[in-house]
């Protein structure tokens, strides 16, 4: 398992390198630059700025400098927020997004799995159909529709919850709900399908023939295999939810990674965008590795 | 009062609006400690009847009638009430021990769970009881193995575990649903023996379901024959075998090839000329499923096999599962070959390129084990059969060779009305015929049949075997016939090769090899094969094999068979026996140090011949066995 982990981490290096090259080229290929504003700067000022940040260098030299900095743990300076580095910006925003994301994960995965189990055990009942249609809605209606509607209902009309910001625990309810809903819906459907499938397998029939209780069948025998598809979905989903949602953070005015991303991209803040790309892709790689290692925990036949 | 009394049991399945009547008016009595065999071809309703009794029908199934267990109705009880019956009074062992055990829990966990729930034992007590039961089913080193997972066991050991699990709560009735069908013949023999012994020691009544008459012949007191959901015959085992009342039972009994009857006479094959296909030191290797830090990363499935195949000849290949039969078959077509050489008409296959290779492939064709799985479900029968002709450029477009397709279909006993239908509309036997028609489309000279009849019912199997025989005669085909069923192989082969762990251990003309085997393994295989005759089967002396096949990546030094061999000596541990021409018989080759000196005797087919029946003891052994 150690050997497997090490080799997977090593093989992540070329993946990351490729992501870096692609992202760097794309960011630089986008028209405009970090110092373009509505009122054009005097050319000599812009030239001095470009020189100061090394933007006058050839593309590959810039890329080399950036990667060199990364290797030293330096994400570089932000072009639009000269008072802070990209590292500091991420350090401020990431905990905000990650907290929201973790809460959404607990709610989404936890409730999703529970709903999936209930639906699977009551397969084709009215309850099953209701739960599954609600889930379908959760998947198909996008966050930028759900979130404003929730704000309208709970914050504006009913005045139960605050509409934006993150000052008190009550402020967390609506954004966490909005973030968790699609995950919850997706997990519930996955869980239902895989549990229904698992309960049809031969070894469950054997267990039934031995007179074991249905609680044992579901929780001791069928749960592990049924969780496997859920785990493979959750890996990348966790990486996504921890790094914040562009839409949700915008709507609830939350100073997280998602908002940073939007601003960075719009402002052509090259280093900021690159830093966030590195953060997201590393998280994704790590989460996928954890998922693969979890397969080994869930299924004893899988060995690394 | 009977222990189990089934009256008017009907099982129906609802599928897509249509109703399938799987079991029709079944009546059955089972007395305490009695063993009843239920036989019938696939789809005869025997398994569904048992599933209904246990309340294990799938959701679209409905059972009506009455099932009295000790006078109490148990049919269609609710799940809760059934829990008191299942496991405690009625237990079942399913066919496939690979999928019937929970792969996610250790053996100890899943077996003790039954005791914890059903007999309110605590964990420690349950574990001790599990160990006792695993000992009873003769699982070696039971306590140590509690923490293993099912996939770490061989098929035979898993089936022992399944039997142990079924007996944990000392049920009155044990139902065994095709318990040995997925197992090798040697393992099957030991499992059947075990079932017989356990029935005595646990005083359990047994219902043994099988399609194999040989399996039930030795074990069961009474026999029930089912066909299309109905019981068509019932009676004491001896009577049913000796004097079948219905044509269907008779056909079932007669369709089974029997080792104790003379084999059909084969034509003489001219082996003076050049062999058609020649394998030379063939090796096939696969990556190990779980390689360690150090040590080998691959294992060898076929270890240097030499073969000759002459025109018009059938070469049978037998051996237990995992012995490399299928890998060899593929390697003969230069698929997966690691080293060694296959020569076709004197030219190495690996040297052929382009058109020459295509020509060779046209001549060498394959028939697979799974009849339905080897046909493309989205292609019509016409498209399937004409496919090879199109691939090989014999015809330009689809539909251009319809008359030839029809000719092929007629040749395998089908007809033109099937052209536009799809594989799922046909039975297993028909699908296998379609597969053969496809293989014949390019006018091949060699047909490689890899377990081509193993998945079929005996009567269907008999039809395919006679079809192959007729085709061989008409088209002078050479056939490589791979199978695990020794009686079937004897039926069709001119020469037979016995494989063990990737090596050929014995090779010879079919008659000589079956009547006077010279390798202890060959004899053990023949000895283990059941004979569908209760009188003979009960009289046969069958040595129990304790040792199962070692993993092919973890072979002991010396002769790989020595741990299972009753005749092993120090020589066997010291060096690997070479496959050599037998002294005094140039047609036979054996890989045993003692082939010339051991007097193995003829296998005991129970025919009371004077040829030293059942005497497996060596006459001359240089040193005492280990």
């Amino acid at each position: 398992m150690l050997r497997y982990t090490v080799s997977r981490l090593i093989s992540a290096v070329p993946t990351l390198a490729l992501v870096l090259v692609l992202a760097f080229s794309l960011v630089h290929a986008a028209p405009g630059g970090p110092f373009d504003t509505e009122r054009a700067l005097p050319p000599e000022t812009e030239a001095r700025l470009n020189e100061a940040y090394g933007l006058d260098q050839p593309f590959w030299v810039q890329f080399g400098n950036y990667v060199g900095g990364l290797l030293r743990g330096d994400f570089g300076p932000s072009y639009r927020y000269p008072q802070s580095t990209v590292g500091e910006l991420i350090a401020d925003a990431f905990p905000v997004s990650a907290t929201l994301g973790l809460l959404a994960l607990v709610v989404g995965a936890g409730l999703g799995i529970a709903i999936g189990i209930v639906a699977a055990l009551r397969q084709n009942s009215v309850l099953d159909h209701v739960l599954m249609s609600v889930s379908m809605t959760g998947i198909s209606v996008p966050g930028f529709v759900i979130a404003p509607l929730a704000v309208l209902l709970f914050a504006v009309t009913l005045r139960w919850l605050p509409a934006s910001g993150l000052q008190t625990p009550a402020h967390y309810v609506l954004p966490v709900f909005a973030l968790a809903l699609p995950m919850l819906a997706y997990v519930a459907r996955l869980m239902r399908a895989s549990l229904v499938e698992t309960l049809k397998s031969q070894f469950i029939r054997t267990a039934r023939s031995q007179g074991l209780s249905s609680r044992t069948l579901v929780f001791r025998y069928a749960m592990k295999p049924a969780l496997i598809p859920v785990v493979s979905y959750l890996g990348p989903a966790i990486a996504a939810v921890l790094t914040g949602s562009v839409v949700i953070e915008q709507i609830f005015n939350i100073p997280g990674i998602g908002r940073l991303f939007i601003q960075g991209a719009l402002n052509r803040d090259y280093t900021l965008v690159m830093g966030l790309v590195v953060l997201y892709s590393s998280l994704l790689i790590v989460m996928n590795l954890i998922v693969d290692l979890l397969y080994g925990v869930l299924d004893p036949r899988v060995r690394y | 009062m009977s222990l189990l009394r089934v009256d008017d049991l009907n099982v129906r399945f609802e599928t897509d609006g249509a109703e399938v009547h799987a079991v029709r008016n079944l009546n059955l009595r089972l007395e305490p400690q009695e063993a009843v065999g239920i036989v019938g071809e696939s789809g005869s309703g025997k398994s569904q009847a048992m599933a209904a009794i246990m309340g294990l029908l799938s959701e679209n199934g409905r059972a009506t009638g009455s099932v009295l267990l000790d006078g109490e109705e148990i049919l269609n009880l609710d799940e809760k009430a059934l829990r008191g019956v299942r496991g405690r009074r009625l237990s079942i062992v399913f066919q496939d021990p690979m999928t019937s055990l929970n792969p996610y829990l250790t053996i100890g966990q899943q077996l003790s769970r039954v005791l914890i729930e059903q007999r309110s034992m605590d964990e420690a007590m349950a574990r001790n009881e599990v160990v006792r039961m695993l000992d009873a089913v003769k699982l070696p080193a039971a306590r140590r193995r509690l923490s293993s997972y099912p996939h770490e066991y061989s098929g035979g050991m898993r089936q022992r575990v399944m039997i142990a699990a079924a007996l944990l709560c000392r049920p009155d009735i044990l139902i065994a649903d095709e318990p040995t069908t997925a197992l090798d013949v040697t393992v099957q023999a030991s499992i059947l023996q075990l079932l017989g012994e356990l029935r005595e020691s646990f005083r359990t009544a047994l219902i043994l379901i099988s399609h194999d008459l040989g399996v039930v012949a030795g074990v069961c007191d009474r026999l029930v024959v089912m066909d299309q959901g109905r019981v068509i015959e019932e009676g004491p085992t001896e009577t049913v075998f000796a004097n079948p009342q219905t044509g269907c039972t008779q056909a079932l009994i007669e369709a089974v090839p029997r080792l104790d009857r003379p084999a059909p006479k084969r034509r003489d094959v001219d082996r003076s000329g050049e062999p058609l296909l020649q394998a030379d030191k063939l090796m096939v290797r696969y990556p190990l499923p779980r390689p360690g830090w150090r040590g080998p990363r691959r294992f060898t499935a076929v270890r240097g096999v030499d073969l000759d195949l002459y025109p018009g000849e059938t070469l049978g290949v037998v051996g237990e599962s995992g012995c490399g039969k299928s890998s060899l078959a593929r390697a003969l077509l230069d698929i997966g070959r690691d080293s060694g050489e296959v020569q076709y008409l004197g030219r190495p296959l690996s040297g052929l390129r382009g058109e020459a290779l295509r020509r060779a492939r046209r001549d060498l064709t394959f028939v697979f084990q799974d009849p339905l799985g080897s046909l493309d479900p989205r292609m019509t029968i016409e498209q399937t059969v004409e496919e090879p002709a199109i691939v090989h450029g014999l015809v330009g477009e689809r539909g251009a060779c319809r008359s030839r397709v029809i000719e092929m279909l007629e040749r395998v006993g089908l007809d033109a009305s099937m052209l536009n239908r799809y594989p799922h509309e046909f039975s297993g036997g028909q699908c296998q015929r379609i597969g053969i028609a496809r293989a014949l489309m390019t006018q091949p000279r060699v047909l490689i049949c890899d377990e081509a009849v193993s998945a079929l019912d005996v009567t269907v199997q008999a039809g395919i075997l006679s079809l192959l025989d007729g085709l061989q005669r008409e088209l002078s085909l050479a056939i490589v016939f791979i199978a695990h069923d020794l009686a079937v192989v004897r039926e069709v082969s001119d020469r037979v090769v016995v494989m063990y762990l990737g090596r050929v251990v014995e090779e010879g003309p079919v008659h000589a090899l079956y009547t006077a085997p010279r390798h202890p393994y060959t004899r053990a295989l023949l000895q283990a094969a059941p004979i569908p005759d209760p009188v003979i089967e009960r009289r046969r002396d069958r040595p129990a094999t304790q040792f199962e096949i070692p993993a092919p990546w973890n072979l002991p030094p010396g002769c790989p068979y020595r741990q299972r061999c009753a005749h092993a000596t120090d020589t066997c541990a010291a060096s690997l026996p070479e496959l050599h021409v037998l002294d005094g018989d140039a047609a036979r080759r054996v890989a045993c140090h003692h082939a010339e000196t051991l007097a193995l005797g003829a296998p005991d087919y129970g025919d009371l011949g004077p040829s030293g029946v059942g005497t497996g003891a060596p006459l001359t052994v240089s040193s005492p066995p280990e």
Side-chain angles (χ1 to χ4, degrees), chain A residues 128-149:
Chain A
D128 177 28
H129 289 304
V130 169
L131 288 174
M132 285 307 109
S133 2
V134 172
S135 308
M136 203 62 228
T137 319
I139 295 172
S140 34
V141 181
F144 58 79
V145 176
I146 290 280
L149 284 178

Side-chain angles (χ1 to χ4, degrees), chain A residues 2-3 123 202-203 205-206 208-214 216 220-221 224-225 228 298-301 303, chain B residues 55 79 83 86-87 92 94 99-105 110 113-114 117-118 149 151 165 293 297:
Chain A
L2 179 69
R3 171 205 179 104
Q123 198 196 342
Q202 295 274 336
F203 67 85
R205 188 177 62 158
T206 306
R208 283 177 65 202
S209 83
Q210 293 165 339
L212 296 178
S213 65
S214 35
T216 300
R220 281 180 196 267
Y221 279 41
K224 270 187 180 182
I228 289 174
L298 289 173
D299 189 343
R301 286 167 297 184
R303 283 286 169 271
Chain B
E79 283 288 312
R83 285 189 54 204
R86 292 176 183 158
I92 188 161
F94 293 107
T99 54
S100 295
L101 287 166
N102 188 337
Y104 304 94
L105 297 176
Q110 46 191 307
R113 178 61 25 199
V114 177
E117 291 203 5
Q118 289 278 29
Y149 288 93
H151 69 271
W293 278 98
R297 307 193 60 80

Side-chain angles (χ1 to χ4, degrees), chain B residues 585-620:
Chain B
D585 190 349
R588 304 182 66 176
R589 295 192 297 164
V590 188
C592 174
H593 287 306
H594 307 301
E596 278 78 10
T597 50
L598 274 181
L600 289 172
D604 171 14
Y605 297 138
D607 49 10
L608 295 182
S611 53
V613 169
T615 53
L619 290 184
T620 41

Side-chain angles (χ1 to χ4, degrees), chain B residues 283-540:
Chain B
M283 300 275 252
V284 177
R285 293 194 178 86
Y286 294 114
L288 263 183
R290 285 164 61 179
W293 278 98
R294 264 177 291 185
R297 307 193 60 80
R298 301 197 300 171
F299 77 94
T300 314
V302 177
R303 300 169 177 259
V305 169
D306 301 331
L307 284 181
D308 295 324
L309 183 69
Y310 289 88
E313 167 180 61
T314 301
L315 178 66
V317 181
V318 293
E320 288 163 294
S321 53
C323 73
K325 306 187 290 286
S326 293
S327 301
L328 173 68
R330 291 158 47 89
L332 285 177
L333 298 188
D334 210 37
I335 303 167
R337 182 184 55 91
D338 202 73
S339 66
E341 191 55 76
V342 181
Q343 301 212 351
Y344 175 62
L345 293 172
R347 294 175 64 192
L349 273 184
S350 63
L352 298 181
R353 293 282 177 274
E355 186 53 29
L357 181 62
R358 233 200 311 276
R359 279 211 69 89
R361 291 222 163 118
R362 207 189 289 170
D363 289 352
L364 309 169
T365 54
F366 220 99
V367 180
F368 301 93
Q369 173 168 11
D370 180 356
L372 185 58
S374 55
L375 301 179
D376 187 329
R378 285 169 205 83
M379 277 182 158
T380 63
I381 302 311
E382 178 174 13
Q383 289 169 335
T384 302
V385 176
E386 73 183 354
E387 182 82 352
I390 291 169
V391 168
H392 286 287
L394 302 181
V395 290
E397 60 194 91
R398 295 218 170 268
C401 52
R402 178 160 300 156
S403 62
R404 180 151 173 76
V405 170
I406 294 172
E407 188 194 325
M408 286 302 126
L409 287 177
E410 282 169 353
R411 179 151 256 167
V412 298
L414 305 173
D415 60 72
S417 68
M418 300 176 164
L419 283 179
N420 293 317
R421 291 162 68 187
Y422 287 88
H424 70 265
E425 301 173 52
F426 297 98
S427 68
Q430 287 173 319
C431 283
Q432 201 57 296
R433 284 170 193 267
I434 294 164
I436 293 171
R438 172 175 63 181
L440 293 177
M441 197 62 192
T442 54
Q443 294 182 293
R445 304 185 60 180
V446 178
L447 197 59
I448 298 180
C449 301
D450 186 5
E451 301 273 12
V453 297
S454 310
L456 306 174
D457 281 323
V458 278
T459 49
V460 182
Q461 173 178 308
I464 299 283
L465 291 181
S466 75
L467 168 69
L468 283 175
D469 191 56
L471 289 171
Q472 178 164 49
R473 210 167 318 157
E474 286 166 45
L475 310 172
S476 74
L477 277 173
I479 298 179
V480 178
F481 191 87
I482 297 169
H484 65 276
D485 187 328
L486 293 131
V488 168
V489 168
R490 190 184 68 152
E491 205 80 350
V492 297
S493 303
D494 301 302
R495 265 185 319 136
V496 174
V497 159
V498 182
M499 286 186 75
Y500 185 69
L501 286 167
R503 286 196 178 84
V504 173
V505 293
E506 181 160 5
E507 182 195 343
V510 62
H511 181 71
L513 190 128
Y514 275 70
T515 50
R518 299 307 287 267
H519 195 288
Y521 178 61
T522 312
R523 189 171 189 279
L525 282 180
L526 293 169
Q527 198 64 26
I531 288 174
D533 184 320
V535 181
I536 291 174
E537 192 61 14
R538 272 165 214 178
R539 207 165 45 210
R540 285 176 81 194

Side-chain angles (χ1 to χ4, degrees), chain A:
Chain A
M1 185 139 137
L2 179 69
R3 171 205 179 104
Y4 177 76
T5 311
V6 171
S7 75
R8 278 286 297 269
L9 287 176
I10 292 171
S11 72
V13 172
T15 313
L16 260 182
L18 192 66
V19 168
L20 281 179
V21 173
L22 281 176
F24 203 80
S25 329
L26 281 175
V27 170
H28 282 258
F35 310 117
D36 293 341
T37 46
E38 295 95 69
R39 234 179 28 157
L41 292 171
E44 55 272 28
T45 318
E46 194 174 345
R48 268 214 314 285
L49 276 170
N50 279 340
E51 197 190 329
Y53 285 110
L55 290 177
D56 54 344
Q57 308 263 12
F59 175 81
W60 286 109
V61 176
Q62 289 187 41
F63 183 70
N65 289 339
Y66 180 71
V67 173
L70 267 191
L71 292 177
R72 291 190 304 274
D74 178 9
F75 284 93
S78 164
Y79 297 134
R80 287 308 280 258
Y81 308 96
Q83 66 279 22
S84 41
T85 65
V86 170
E88 286 162 359
L89 288 173
I90 291 178
D92 286 342
F94 185 62
V96 177
S97 289
T99 312
L100 266 184
L102 276 177
L103 288 170
L105 173 69
V106 171
V107 174
L111 277 182
I113 288 172
I115 290 174
I117 293 172
V118 171
L121 297 184
R122 300 265 178 281
Q123 198 196 342
N124 296 331
S125 67
V126 176
L127 180 64
D128 177 28
H129 289 304
V130 169
L131 288 174
M132 285 307 109
S133 2
V134 172
S135 308
M136 203 62 228
T137 319
I139 295 172
S140 34
V141 181
F144 58 79
V145 176
I146 290 280
L149 284 178
V151 170
L152 188 68
L153 180 64
F154 294 105
V156 179
T157 312
L158 296 172
R159 294 183 179 280
W160 289 353
L161 294 163
S164 75
L166 281 182
Q167 291 80 9
T168 67
H171 283 90
Y172 279 88
V173 175
L174 284 180
V176 165
F177 164 76
L179 263 178
L181 189 65
M183 183 189 264
L184 182 157
Y186 207 83
V187 167
R189 294 186 67 86
L190 269 181
M191 188 69 204
R192 175 188 178 275
S194 78
L195 189 56
V196 163
E197 201 49 47
T198 310
L199 286 173
K200 281 187 195 150
S201 46
Q202 295 274 336
F203 67 85
I204 295 293
R205 188 177 62 158
T206 306
R208 283 177 65 202
S209 83
Q210 293 165 339
L212 296 178
S213 65
S214 35
R215 190 193 321 188
T216 300
L217 293 189
V218 174
F219 291 99
R220 281 180 196 267
Y221 279 41
M223 197 49 68
K224 270 187 180 182
L227 276 175
I228 289 174
V230 177
V231 166
S232 23
Y233 160 73
L234 278 181
I238 289 173
V241 87
L242 287 185
T243 48
S245 153
V246 171
V247 174
I248 302 297
E249 291 183 3
Q250 202 68 33
I251 289 172
F252 292 99
N253 195 24
I254 292 162
I257 295 284
R259 276 226 311 197
L260 218 50
F261 219 143
I262 288 273
Q263 289 161 6
L266 291 178
N267 294 334
R268 306 285 182 273
D269 196 341
Y270 297 156
T271 42
L272 181 56
V273 173
M274 285 304 297
L276 294 174
V277 167
V278 170
L279 174 75
Y280 179 65
S281 35
S282 317
L283 253 175
L284 201 58
I285 286 168
V286 170
M287 288 317 300
N288 275 325
L289 175 59
I290 290 177
V291 166
D292 286 346
L293 292 177
L294 269 180
Y295 288 152
V297 175
L298 289 173
D299 189 343
R301 286 167 297 184
V302 178
R303 283 286 169 271
Y304 303 112

Side-chain angles (χ1 to χ4, degrees), chain B residues 260-274:
Chain B
D260 62 328
R261 300 266 170 85
K265 185 91 187 84
R266 300 284 307 173
R267 302 165 294 284
D268 286 326
V269 175
D270 176 21
R271 286 198 194 78
S272 56
E274 184 88 339

